[in-house]
């Protein structure tokens, strides 16, 4: 029974399109995150979100927007996709409100923008 | 500007021997450090962490050492097992700052039979 799942696993799309990546967790955790792992293998946090607050990393373009329909889901919407958006995107959750708590990661979504 | 550096992209260790993975950081404000392990096509999984008030934390075969004056930490795995072959990410954070966690680029560990 997968704790953190992401769909789709692979996504290939053209520049300028709008796409979404979905994340679902069955751990009952209050806090969810989105990370981006770029071609240089750096894993960088994009957002953290809990019931009370969305914390946006200031380096993330506003074309990226997280949306949480409920506590178990945090989806990532990306508008006007660019070549540089190609990366692997990971969703993660944690029990506590601090990012320093142990995080549970999803399997990742490999996004390729052509 | 890499605030967390893992200078060895890969490391090969004989099964049964000790694996030592190193990590350096530049920001002296970091007060919590974590190691994650990642298999191909999977997300990272939490391994072990250490607070800046400690200099060692041990969990089974895994021990993390922190040298604050040198801004250096290391992960020791002993004895190394085939299932330890993976990419290991070092991460540093500021407690209670949800946007402030920095990961290193990772070190790929190969355990040789």
């Amino acid at each position: 029974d997968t704790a953190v799942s992401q769909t789709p696993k692979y996504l290939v799309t053209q520049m300028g399109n709008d796409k979404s990546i979905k994340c679902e967790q069955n751990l009952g955790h209050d806090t969810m995150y989105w990370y981006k792992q770029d071609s240089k293998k750096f894993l960088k946090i994009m957002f953290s979100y809990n019931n009370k607050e969305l914390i946006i990393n200031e380096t993330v373009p506003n074309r990226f927007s997280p949306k949480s329909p409920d506590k178990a889901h945090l989806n990532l919407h990306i508008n006007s996709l660019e070549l540089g958006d190609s990366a692997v995107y990971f969703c993660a959750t944690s029990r506590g409100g601090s990012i320093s708590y142990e995080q549970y990661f999803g399997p990742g979504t490999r996004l390729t923008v052509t | 500007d890499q605030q967390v550096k893992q200078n060895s992209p890969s490391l090969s260790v004989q099964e049964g021997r000790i694996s030592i993975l190193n990590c350096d950081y530049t920001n002296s404000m970091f007060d919590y450090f974590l190691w994650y392990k990642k298999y191909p096509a999977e997300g990272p999984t939490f391994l072990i962490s250490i607070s800046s008030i400690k200099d060692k934390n041990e969990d089974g075969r895994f021990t993390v050492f922190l040298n604050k004056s040198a801004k250096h930490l290391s992960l020791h795995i002993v004895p190394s097992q085939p299932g330890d072959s993976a990419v290991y990410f070092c991460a540093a954070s500021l407690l209670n700052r949800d946007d402030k966690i920095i990961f290193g680029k990772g070190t790929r560990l190969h355990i040789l039979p």
Side-chain angles (χ1 to χ4, degrees), chain A residues 58-81:
Chain A
E58 62 192 21
T59 63
V60 178
N62 58 15
R63 298 182 294 104
F64 291 78
S65 56
K67 287 184 171 52
S68 181
D70 55 57
K71 185 178 167 180
H73 296 84
L74 182 64
N75 302 326
L76 182 65
H77 298 270
I78 315 171
N79 295 324
S80 302
L81 278 155

Side-chain angles (χ1 to χ4, degrees), chain A residues 9 31 33 35 37 40-45 48 50 55-57 90 97-108, chain B residues 2 4 31-32 34 36 38 41-46 49 89 93-106:
Chain A
K9 194 167 176 63
T31 309
Y33 311 87
Y35 286 83
Q37 185 179 29
K40 296 181 180 178
K41 303 302 181 186
F42 283 109
L43 192 63
K44 297 180 181 177
I45 186 167
S48 66
N50 62 21
I55 298 172
I56 299 172
N57 188 299
F90 290 98
S98 168
I99 203 163
S100 298
Y101 279 95
E102 173 182 348
Q103 294 185 46
Y104 295 80
F105 282 79
Chain B
Q2 286 181 250
V4 177
D31 52 12
Y32 201 78
L34 310 96
Y36 282 83
K38 184 182 181 303
E42 294 183 13
T45 55
F46 172 78
S49 62
F89 290 97
S93 72
L94 294 172
L95 281 171
N96 301 315
R97 273 287 303 274
D98 282 351
D99 61 337
K100 203 66 177 180
I101 182 166
I102 308 293
F103 281 79
K105 289 177 69 172

